[in-house]
């Protein structure tokens, strides 16, 4: 009997619920990256993190975007922060442990960000080893977590290069529309440069179709083009459009908490299992 075809047009594998992670291993660091804005990157970071917690992982979310969208999306007032990721990047006397905040989800922590981070790009230019600053900052806490997810800003500047240098893998959320396809080649070029120069272990974990509308031919064609160009690097999981994502952001909660039985929550649970298949150390 043939397997059911998933939204990407390929047979949909069964992604088993993972067992517990081996103890005593440093966290797997994943950069959530796309230089195009509005592709569901922050939504994916929050909800993937929450779904990974449901598999028994302890997860840290690092907001590395000066817009602070992930910070706000988890119910924290970004403009009222005394300290953010910016301060720990710029001041060796400040430990990242002092910045970590618990979220409403037990086992899911946050390093917040706000507009202060926009000044970091200019200040880092004159630093020795400027691409490795975030990796240095994260080093003391890598044994405290199973997975660290970095929400990158929508650009390919020095902050994003820092995130890629610190990471083991890159997850690329991609809106299911044609303009989104055009920037992926540029992102791939940046990832290859980082791999050559500052992080030879960096891998692309996968490309994730987001904001998918199964009622339109356009969305299906974009997914088909993605699979044609990138093959198995395209996740089988696809995130469909739903108003529940906006509602959960307003509520300051992941969709797995806000609308726990919704199709959106189930999609992110499936994505978490698929990520753990692709990242066996996580």
């Amino acid at each position: 009997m043939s397997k059911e075809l998933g939204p990407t047009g390929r047979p949909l594998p069964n992604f088993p619920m993972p067992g517990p992670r081996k103890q005593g291993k440093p966290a797997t660091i994943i950069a959530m990256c796309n230089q195009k804005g509005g592709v569901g990157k922050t939504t994916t970071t929050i909800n993937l993190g929450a779904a990974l917690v449901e598999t028994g992982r302890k997860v840290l979310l690092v907001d590395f975007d000066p817009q602070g969208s992930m910070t706000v999306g988890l119910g924290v007032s970004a403009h009222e922060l005394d300290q953010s990721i910016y301060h720990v990047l710029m001041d060796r006397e400040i430990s990242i442990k002092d910045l970590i905040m618990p979220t409403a989800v037990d086992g899911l922590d946050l390093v917040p960000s706000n507009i202060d981070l926009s000044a970091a790009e200019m200040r880092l230019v004159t630093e020795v080893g400027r691409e490795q600053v975030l990796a240095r900052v994260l080093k003391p806490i890598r044994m405290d977590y199973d997975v660290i997810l970095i929400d990158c800003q929508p650009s390919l500047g020095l902050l994003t290069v820092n995130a890629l240098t610190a990471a083991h893998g890159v997850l690329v959320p991609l809106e299911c529309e044609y303009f989104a396809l055009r920037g992926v080649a540029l992102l791939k070029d940046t990832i290859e440069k980082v791999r050559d120069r500052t992080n030879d272990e960096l891998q692309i974990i996968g490309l994730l179709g987001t904001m998918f509308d199964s009622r339109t031919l356009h969305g299906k064609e974009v997914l088909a083009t993605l699979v044609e160009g990138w093959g198995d690097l395209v996740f089988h999981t696809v995130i469909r459009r739903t108003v529940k994502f906006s509602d959960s952001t307003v509520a300051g909660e992941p969709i797995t908490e806000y609308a726990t039985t919704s199709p959106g929550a189930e999609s992110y649970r499936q994505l978490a299992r698929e990520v753990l298949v692709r990242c066996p150390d996580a």
Side-chain angles (χ1 to χ4, degrees), residues 39-246:
V39 298
K41 183 164 44 61
T42 299
T43 299
T44 293
T45 310
I46 292 172
N47 292 309
L48 174 59
L52 285 167
V53 167
E54 291 186 0
T55 71
R57 271 64 185 165
K58 190 174 184 196
V59 180
L60 178 67
L61 304 179
V62 178
D63 192 344
F64 214 50
D65 183 350
Q67 295 175 63
S69 300
M70 184 162 70
T71 301
V72 173
L74 285 164
V76 178
S77 180
H79 64 275
E80 291 178 6
L81 292 169
D82 291 328
Q83 291 184 330
S84 68
I85 186 70
Y86 167 76
H87 296 88
V88 78
L89 289 175
M90 293 298 135
D91 187 346
R92 284 178 176 264
E93 300 299 311
I94 300 172
S95 167
I96 193 168
K97 293 184 180 184
D98 300 331
L99 295 181
I100 293 172
M101 312 170 76
T103 69
V105 180
D106 194 29
L108 184 69
D109 292 344
L110 169 70
V111 175
S113 173
N114 61 17
I115 195 65
D116 291 347
L117 186 60
S118 59
E121 200 124 19
M122 282 189 295
R123 290 191 60 186
L124 284 173
V125 167
T126 57
E127 287 278 318
V128 175
R130 59 193 180 183
E131 296 91 355
Q132 277 97 9
V133 176
L134 181 61
R136 170 182 60 76
V137 162
L138 293 176
K139 194 172 182 181
I141 54 164
R142 283 190 54 201
M143 299 304 294
D144 300 340
Y145 293 92
D146 299 315
V147 181
I148 298 174
L149 301 179
I150 306 170
D151 186 26
C152 300
Q153 68 177 145
S155 88
L156 296 178
L158 189 51
L159 290 179
T160 298
V161 170
N162 257 268
L164 294 174
T165 301
H168 299 101
V170 191
L171 194 157
V172 184
L174 201 75
E175 186 182 359
C176 291
E177 60 98 32
Y178 274 118
F179 287 117
L181 290 174
R182 294 171 61 191
V184 186
L186 193 62
L187 176 59
K188 186 183 181 190
D189 187 46
T190 300
I191 290 167
E192 286 173 354
K193 283 179 181 171
V194 169
R195 193 186 291 141
D196 286 344
R197 298 171 192 178
T198 61
N199 181 5
D200 59 6
E201 295 181 3
L202 185 66
Q203 300 294 329
I204 299 176
I205 296 169
L207 285 75
L208 173 70
T210 63
M211 304 181 189
F212 177 62
D213 188 341
S214 58
R215 298 168 299 180
T216 68
L217 182 62
H218 180 71
K220 293 175 183 174
E221 286 175 344
V222 170
L223 273 182
T225 304
L226 256 189
V227 172
E228 191 180 311
W230 293 79
D232 287 340
L233 277 177
V234 180
F235 282 103
H236 289 273
T237 305
V238 171
I239 309 300
R240 289 177 162 80
R241 281 189 190 275
T242 168
V243 72
K244 290 278 191 242
F245 289 127
S246 301

